Structure formats: structure tokens, C-alpha cells
Amino acid sequence: MTRPIYMDHSATTPVDPEVFNEMIPYFTDRFGNASSIHLYGQDARRAIDKARAQVAHLINAAPQEIIFTSGGTEADNQAIVSYMLANQNKGNHLITSAIEHHAVLETCEHLAKQGFELTVLPVTPEGMVEADVLQKALKPASRLVSIMHANNEVGTIQDIKELASISHAAGAVFHTDAVQSMGKLPIDVKAMGIDMLSASSHKIYGPKGVGCLFIRKGIRLPSLLHGGGQERKLRAGTENVPAIVGFGKACELAEQHMAERAEKLEKLAHRLREGILTTIPNTRLTGHPSQRLPGSVSVCFQFVEGESILLMLDSFGIMASSGSACTSGSLDPSHVLLALGLPHEIAHGSLRLTLGKDNTAEDVDKVLEVLPGIIATLRKMSPLCN
Amino acid sequence: MYSQKVMDHFMNPRNVGKIDLASGVGEVGNPVCGDIMHIEIKVNDEDIIEDIKFNTFGCAAAIATSSMVTEMVKGKTLEEAERITNRAVAEALDGLPEVKMHCSNLAADALHEAIKDYMAKRETASA
Ligand SMILES: Cc1ncc(COP(=O)(O)O)c(C=O)c1O
């Protein structure tokens, strides 16, 4: 079989060997608990401090503004739940968008079930949250606005600076889920006016099971987990030192290579998008034409179903994903595609190819070589086509 | 996630297409749900399903069950074909993932629709 081609980097990425090498000693020789005052404990403490500085530097935050979590999901939960619980005496309204990751949407909906008031903002057909739509939703009781930076399914990038500034003017705090963008797009939390930001290591060539929450100095946010006093009492639980070290290194490398990777990914993605559109009829791109995550290609093919496309691609060693019902594990296609206003029958034919730093032009050409045949085969089988 | 048999029928579907002058046509599902199965049969004077073809829009389970049902009934009498259930089709494929049992396992229903269509046509013709 030919070399497998991985084009599902928005799902997860391989750990960079440089990152892995940094992590190794912290599993065995340097295994201390960072809360211990002895030699090994202090060694672990210094390793965490270094990682915290690496993460903070990537987004122009101060190290004290970063707490490590078990990943993006936990960071989203803490930002939303802890903030709303701590501030409910001042207002119980929160705002999010219809295209958020489930880590945000389900969390907001959980709060709504507990009696908080939730507004879920619609988006444009390109996946943009419009400033005036947010403006109209804000009211004196609004405490928190949570809108993602880059979308995981269609890649649309929001104008965070503007959305944050509108939120602030109405007296609300602004949180963004930057799991898909941190390390891939420039982020300056100060210049953009971000109060809280969630990020995850495994999307940027770091290990799984670690992420962070940025909490701007001046924002009071209690811990979500109760227990020990780790992370300045903001996140209880013994720190996952090797993972944190890996996340720190991944951030350092992402910062170093951001511009060059983005340029390469955009070139490849452009070739892939154009190739698909010129060789496969009845196809449409989803998401925003220009404001999109580098390397993200999302399309819908009419008359065919996403899971079938994925399995056929997989038989050629090509790994991708889809927002069709069968792959979302429910009876409906992905909530993101539906929020863009795509009809069910179109959304069922979705395909997402997300490129990464190790993909090559040959990988793209291989996809372009087999994909038209796959779609043609499935269409020949489809009663919608005949 | 899928059995080898499902993957075989998905990757190499049997009896895809249409029949010239089909005796009966059946279709179930709709594009909103993400599954449509269309089955055409040709029935001879002895009530035997001489030929059967399908067209399906849907996931691997939808395509594999369609393909399997065509294999199961080709050469069978209408009576035998009517007794085939969705469950029997799934079993012939060595099972389907639980979530697929409800949404994508409709091939026998499409077959039964085709038989019903044939019966109705025969009735009108003899009336
Ligand atoms: C936008 C977004 N938010 C949150 C998450 C969850 O992050 P984690 O897997 O680190 O919990 C993901 C990952 O799938 C994501 O893409």
C-alpha cells in the first residue's frame, strides 16, 4: 500500500518529534510533583514555569494569566460555567454563536437548563458572526460573550477584536475558543481585547490531554475543579508535567514557524480547492472565501453522502472527515453546516480536508487523482442523480 | 466499525442500476434524512424475481444493505422475497453498528415497496 495521507489536522495532529524529545525525561527521571519542595519537585515546577512562559509569549499574555487544563473542553467549561456562576448576582444572560464547538455550545445549554438566559447568535452563510447581530443581543444582564476564533468545520475566522470591543461597551466579558487558531494565526490578547481564551495542545503538534485557559489579569474566575491549590488555586489536580512541557514546546515551535507554515498550507489548500471545483461538478465550498484557517478545505458534493466518501477515500489511504449525519453520530448533519443555512440534503454530502505541516503537493495531487472518481462512482449509484 | 461483508458490499456493490421495463419499482427514505433506496424488479410468469437492481443515496450501511438484498432475492419467488426482513439483511451482512439499524437499514422495505408496486400494476392490468 502507498504511504497514508492524513488530511484531518483539525481533528488532531501528530506530536512533533522535537516536542516528544522534550517530554521524554519528564515521564521517567524528572518525574517530580511540582507541589513538592524537594529537588525533584522544584525541577518539575521550573519545567511548568518555562512552558507557561512559552504559551503566554505566543499570544502576548503574561505567564500569570495562563492556567493549564486537560484540554480545550475543560478550558471552555471553566471560562463559561465558572464565570457565570461567580457573576450571577450581576446578571444571568450569556451569548454565544450557532457554530461553536460542542465544548462551548453544550456548556452554554447546560447553563440555560439551570436557569441562565442564553442567546445563540445566527451566522451569515459564510459563517460570520455580524457585529450588529451581537450588538442587538447585548443587554444590561449580559455577563459573558463566547465566540470562537476559527471554526473547526468550515474554517471561518471571526473579527474577534470588533466583537470583543462591542461586548465590552455593553459591560460583558469576552471569551474566545481559540483551539483551532492558536499557533496557526497571530493572536495578541491585548490588542484584540480578549478577556478569556481557550486553547488545546493536540491541534498544534503537541500531546493530547493538555490545554490552557488565558484569564486576563483583573478577571476573577474561580476554579471549576475542587481540590488542591495547584495553578494558583485556579485548577485543582496534580499537573501533567510531561504534557505541559510538550504543550509549551509546541507553542514555541508554532510561533517560530507560523508565517511559513501558513503560507505553505494556503498554497496547498488553494491547489486542492481549485482542483476539486474544476474537476467535480455540482460542488460548493463552505465557509468564508478568504477569512479562513490556513489549510482548511471544506466542500459539499451534491447527491452523495459524506460517510461513503470518507470510507472510499480511506480505502486509498486518504484520511479526512465530514459533517454528515452518519459521521456526526446523530440523525442530523452537523449543526455548523445547518447554521450556515445549507439544506440537509446538501450538508449530508460534506467533506472536510484539513492540511498540516507535513502534507505535500504530491498529497494534494493524489487526492485530486482519486476524489473525482469516488464522487462519480457514488453519484452513479445515487437515485438523486438519475 | 463495519464488518468485512459490509465493506465488501459497499466497495463492490452488486446489481447497481435500472431495469428496462421494470415490473415493479420501490423507493424509501428521503434526502433530508440522508438515505434513499430505490429498487427495481423484473418478475417472470412464475412469480420469480428474475432481475433486480438498485440505486442508493446514503452511507456505507445503506449501500451495503441495498446490495445484499438484491443478492438475497434474485431468483426467489415473490412469496419468499416478501418474507425477507431488514433484520435478516443486516444479519446476512454479519450485523450493522447499532446506530445504523434504524436509519440505514431499509433495503427490505424498498424491496417490499417494489413488490407492492408490481402487484398493483398486475391488478390494474387484469382488471
Ligand atoms: C473549536 C474546538 N473547541 C474545542 C475543542 C476541544 O478541545 P479538546 O479536544 O482539547 O478538549 C476542539 C477539538 O476538537 C475544537 O476544535
Side-chain angles (χ1 to χ4, degrees):
Chain A
M1 186 152 134
T2 48
R3 186 175 69 90
I5 295 175
Y6 184 75
M7 289 198 182
D8 200 11
H9 291 83
S10 281
T12 195
T13 59
V15 173
D16 189 311
E18 265 192 77
V19 168
F20 185 51
N21 280 334
E22 293 267 322
M23 294 170 65
I24 292 169
Y26 293 95
F27 287 104
T28 49
D29 300 347
R30 307 173 73 169
F31 61 87
N33 183 324
S35 299
S36 308
I37 60 161
H38 51 57
L39 184 66
Y40 286 172
Q42 291 312 294
D43 181 52
R45 164 63 45 215
R46 275 191 299 276
I48 293 174
D49 286 345
K50 180 179 170 197
R52 204 185 306 279
Q54 287 166 316
V55 175
H57 195 264
L58 176 59
I59 57 172
N60 193 29
Q64 314 83 267
E65 293 175 313
I66 303 291
I67 62 166
F68 289 111
T69 65
S70 65
T73 301
E74 186 192 324
D76 285 337
N77 271 266
Q78 182 167 359
I80 295 164
V81 174
S82 294
Y83 193 82
M84 290 309 290
L85 287 180
N87 291 280
Q88 56 185 324
N89 57 331
K90 293 180 232 144
N92 76 338
H93 182 227
L94 72 160
I95 299 175
T96 189
S97 87
I99 58 166
E100 298 298 314
H101 189 272
H102 286 303
V104 167
L105 262 186
E106 294 285 318
T107 305
C108 289
E109 272 154 23
H110 167 74
L111 285 181
K113 279 194 208 106
Q114 312 294 312
F116 286 87
E117 193 197 342
L118 170 65
T119 301
V120 180
L121 302 177
V123 296
T124 67
E126 289 80 36
M128 281 290 196
V129 177
E130 288 178 309
D132 62 330
V133 171
L134 171 60
Q135 184 79 63
K136 284 198 199 96
L138 283 157
K139 50 187 179 182
S142 307
R143 294 273 51 86
L144 178 70
V145 175
S146 178
I147 295 172
M148 72 198 316
H149 189 199
N151 182 265
N152 46 302
E153 288 187 38
V154 295
T156 303
I157 301 167
Q158 306 296 333
D159 185 346
I160 292 300
K161 188 176 174 180
E162 183 175 30
L163 298 172
S165 130
I166 292 168
S167 306
H168 292 155
V173 149
F174 189 84
H175 166 255
T176 190
D177 176 330
V179 167
Q180 290 292 340
S181 60
M182 193 177 96
K184 300 183 210 162
L185 297 172
I187 295 177
D188 180 329
V189 289
K190 291 198 181 76
M192 292 162 87
I194 296 165
D195 299 306
M196 295 188 280
L197 173 147
S198 308
S200 183
S201 152
H202 72 101
K203 311 286 187 184
I204 55 167
Y205 311 99
K208 292 168 182 59
V210 63
C212 74
L213 179 61
F214 156 80
I215 311 163
R216 180 175 62 74
K217 189 166 179 287
I219 302 274
R220 232 179 41 76
L221 189 79
S223 182
L224 187 66
L225 305 178
H226 303 281
Q230 291 89 353
E231 298 291 282
R232 289 176 298 115
K233 296 201 170 63
L234 293 178
R235 201 278 181 177
T238 300
E239 299 88 342
N240 185 350
V241 182
I244 289 171
V245 166
F247 182 27
K249 185 69 185 175
C251 286
E252 184 192 305
L253 292 173
E255 188 171 347
Q256 249 171 46
H257 300 292
M258 192 183 301
E260 131 223 348
R261 278 181 192 167
E263 196 192 322
K264 176 193 148 160
L265 289 179
E266 240 341 271
K267 229 184 241 162
L268 291 178
H270 180 76
R271 185 189 181 105
L272 186 51
R273 274 194 291 269
E274 292 306 305
I276 289 173
L277 286 178
T278 51
T279 55
I280 307 175
N282 296 311
T283 300
R284 65 167 99 175
L285 298 176
T286 55
H288 199 279
S290 60
Q291 294 303 107
R292 51 184 311 125
L293 204 59
S296 145
V297 176
S298 60
V299 291
C300 283
F301 301 105
Q302 244 178 302
F303 316 126
V304 295
E305 194 277 332
E307 187 203 85
S308 293
I309 306 172
L310 293 188
L311 287 171
M312 289 205 172
L313 279 172
D314 198 40
S315 75
F316 288 99
I318 298 165
M319 291 167 267
S321 68
S322 164
S324 81
C326 284
T327 51
S328 71
S330 71
L331 292 178
D332 282 320
S334 106
H335 66 283
V336 175
L337 298 174
L338 296 180
L340 302 187
L342 290 170
H344 275 69
E345 56 269 36
I346 302 284
H348 283 301
S350 94
L351 176 68
R352 178 187 77 173
L353 298 148
T354 43
L355 306 175
K357 68 181 177 70
D358 299 324
N359 283 128
T360 61
E362 290 75 61
D363 292 349
V364 168
D365 291 346
K366 173 79 187 172
V367 172
L368 290 174
E369 190 187 306
V370 303
L371 188 56
I374 289 173
I375 302 300
T377 301
L378 289 170
R379 282 183 176 165
K380 212 154 55 190
M381 231 186 285
S382 169
L384 295 172
C385 245
N386 297 304
Chain B
M1 133 180 176
Y2 285 123
S3 72
Q4 270 180 354
K5 269 204 187 137
V6 171
M7 284 310 289
D8 175 37
H9 276 265
F10 167 64
M11 295 300 290
N12 313 291
R14 285 55 149 180
N15 305 308
V16 177
K18 306 219 161 225
I19 293 175
D20 270 348
L21 303 172
S23 328
V25 174
E27 189 167 299
V28 296
N30 70 63
V32 173
C33 308
D35 283 306
I36 304 175
M37 298 173 187
H38 178 101
I39 283 184
E40 302 190 351
I41 52 174
K42 186 171 184 107
V43 182
N44 70 14
D45 293 344
E46 281 122 60
D47 272 1
I48 286 172
I49 299 179
E50 217 174 63
D51 199 7
I52 175 163
K53 299 261 191 225
F54 81 91
N55 278 106
T56 288
F57 161 78
C59 62
I63 291 170
T65 51
S66 306
S67 168
M68 178 52 94
V69 88
T70 64
E71 268 205 335
M72 288 167 80
V73 302
K74 207 174 202 173
K76 294 274 160 60
T77 64
L78 289 178
E79 234 191 336
E80 288 167 322
E82 275 175 325
R83 283 202 300 267
I84 288 175
T85 60
N86 289 329
R87 182 158 288 280
V89 176
E91 276 164 16
L93 287 165
D94 293 338
L96 288 174
E98 191 48 43
V99 287
K100 303 284 184 181
M101 288 301 283
H102 310 290
C103 60
S104 312
N105 188 20
L106 303 167
D109 294 349
L111 167 70
H112 298 154
E113 288 299 312
I115 294 174
K116 225 193 281 174
D117 180 52
Y118 164 70
M119 297 294 206
K121 277 182 186 150
R122 192 166 69 171
E123 210 122 295
T124 354
S126 62

